[in-house]
Amino acid sequence: MRKTARYTALAASGLLALSSLTACANDASSTASTSKGDGKGVKVKIMVGGLDKVIYLPAMLTQQLGYFDAEGLDVELLSEPAGVQAETALVSGQVQGAVGFYDHTLDLQVKGKSVESVVQFSQAPGEVEVVSTKAAGKVKSPKDFKGKKLGVTGLGSSTDFLTKYLAVKNGVNVSEFTPVAVGAGPTFVAALQQGSIDAGMTTDPTVATILDKKAGKVLVDMRTPAGSQAALGGPYPSSSLYMQTDWVNGHKSTVQKMVNAFVKTLKWMSTHSATEIADKMPADYSQGNKFLYATAIKSTLPMFTKDGVMPTNGPETVEKVLKAFNPTIKNAKVDLDKTYTTEFVKNATG
């Protein structure tokens, strides 16, 4: 049975009392270690940075295919509109895992938090920079970002990171444009149509909706490895399951089962069509247009790995991107080996 929940935006982690964080973390650890939920297995909570986003599709698909249950896990999938909020839920101990961009592991490391990707869903961002139809004549490439309002899912999110990189790479300082947090889906589309933003970064199925409504045009497409190479200079591991390192080390059996389930899903995706994948997803994800939803999945499928393994040189590309605009990371030594592990994917029984 599908278990989803919509969380309201979390308070910034810096405002949470340390004692509350510790209590939450202890409660979460206890839940995963001892709770049997409804008898199906060990209870694990995962926060996803947008359950209905195609870039995070493996999370819900794994549940729909029954692979969590097959591994003896009782997984509860929760949803936040932006990856940065999923990150906050993880570090505050509200959940045991987060499905979001790998780049958060580097960002958190320089902030003193030890977090690692345990299974890598993708080898490209899956993101698209779109420009509104109205502004298309003035914004023809990232070189034209100066003075513009650019939409991102949330400030401090991966779309925010990538937008800043595209700007800096093309000669525009991060202080020369205005990032605007507009979420994804209907709120992003509305912001584009109403002129609240001139352009913005989002994913499918939002991209497919924008093109269908003729509300905007594609400016930079990073849904494929080739698109990632062109825009970022290499493979860009994005969507992943990342967890706090201490929790991983203390619950290796549970983590292995999680990774087994996800690797099975990635392999299943690699041998099935976009339409077959769409048919497995919850009916409401297509928003009444199954063909458009399948089209969105087809456009994004090339970003996914087939085995959950971190792509060669992927971490280095991510570090290069972050160092280009983030002064905290630029001046810090990042230990990339501690931002991900291949231990579980190598032992996966998918």
Side-chain angles (χ1 to χ4, degrees):
M1 180 177 292
R2 168 163 80 104
K3 302 173 183 175
T4 62
R6 291 281 177 184
Y7 271 32
T8 54
L10 297 168
S13 58
L15 299 179
L16 296 173
L18 181 60
S19 58
S20 296
L21 292 182
T22 303
C24 285
N26 288 341
D27 288 346
S29 179
S30 176
T31 297
S33 300
T34 62
S35 173
K36 296 300 180 182
D38 55 7
K40 293 182 179 179
V42 176
K43 177 80 172 182
V44 180
K45 291 183 179 180
I46 300 177
M47 184 65 79
V48 185
L51 260 175
D52 56 355
K53 295 177 183 177
V54 177
I55 57 171
Y56 300 141
L57 181 148
M60 179 55 70
L61 182 58
T62 300
Q63 193 165 74
Q64 294 290 98
L65 291 172
Y67 291 160
F68 289 138
D69 286 347
E71 290 291 332
L73 298 170
D74 179 18
V75 174
E76 182 177 6
L77 297 174
L78 307 170
S79 187
E80 280 286 8
V84 66
Q85 293 159 350
E87 169 196 296
T88 303
L90 178 69
V91 298
S92 67
Q94 294 188 24
V95 296
Q96 289 77 48
V99 169
F101 270 40
Y102 160 72
D103 55 23
H104 289 292
T105 67
L106 281 73
D107 186 50
L108 286 168
Q109 186 184 110
V110 300
K111 295 175 181 176
K113 303 290 184 181
S114 184
V115 175
E116 61 188 17
S117 165
V118 297
V119 56
Q120 196 61 47
F121 298 163
S122 61
Q123 55 192 332
E127 301 283 354
V128 178
E129 184 72 22
V130 294
V131 58
S132 72
T133 302
K134 182 178 179 180
K138 297 179 180 179
V139 183
K140 297 181 178 181
S141 81
K143 294 179 181 179
D144 302 319
F145 281 176
K146 187 175 181 179
K148 301 301 187 292
K149 294 175 291 185
L150 304 178
V152 297
T153 53
L155 301 181
S157 67
S158 296
T159 52
D160 189 19
F161 293 163
L162 288 170
T163 298
K164 288 176 178 175
Y165 177 74
L166 290 179
V168 171
K169 181 186 177 184
N170 287 278
V172 180
N173 193 283
V174 294
S175 64
E176 294 180 311
F177 67 89
T178 304
V180 183
V182 293
T187 56
F188 187 101
V189 177
L192 203 65
Q193 292 177 316
Q194 295 166 8
S196 301
I197 57 175
D198 300 297
M201 190 171 292
T202 190
T203 62
D204 277 311
T206 307
V207 176
T209 300
I210 290 168
L211 298 180
D212 185 60
K213 291 178 176 290
K214 295 181 171 54
K217 300 179 179 180
V218 172
L219 200 65
V220 180
D221 192 339
M222 297 178 285
R223 289 175 291 188
T224 66
S228 178
Q229 180 71 41
L232 307 173
Y236 196 93
S238 56
S239 55
S240 65
L241 172 66
Y242 63 89
M243 313 176 95
Q244 296 201 60
T245 301
D246 285 347
W247 197 90
V248 171
N249 291 337
H251 302 80
K252 288 197 172 187
S253 176
T254 298
V255 175
Q256 186 64 65
K257 292 175 181 179
M258 293 290 300
V259 173
N260 288 347
F262 280 125
V263 170
K264 287 177 185 176
T265 297
L266 291 169
K267 289 184 177 180
W268 187 92
M269 288 171 61
S270 72
T271 58
H272 289 76
S273 70
T275 299
E276 290 172 322
I277 294 171
D279 287 340
K280 290 292 184 180
M281 299 300 285
D284 58 326
Y285 279 31
S286 65
Q287 298 180 2
N289 192 330
K290 199 71 169 283
F291 175 78
L292 190 63
Y293 183 55
T295 299
I297 292 175
K298 184 177 181 180
S299 296
T300 306
L301 270 180
M303 72 174 277
F304 293 107
T305 68
K306 297 179 180 180
D307 52 15
V309 175
M310 176 65 73
T312 302
N313 298 324
E316 288 78 8
T317 303
V318 173
E319 182 182 29
K320 179 196 70 175
V321 167
L322 296 182
K323 282 183 177 292
F325 66 85
N326 188 320
T328 303
I329 293 182
K330 183 176 182 179
N331 300 317
K333 171 63 177 177
V334 178
D335 188 342
L336 293 177
D337 288 340
K338 292 183 178 179
T339 60
Y340 71 98
T341 177
T342 58
E343 173 186 351
F344 301 100
V345 290
K346 286 181 178 178
N347 293 324
T349 57

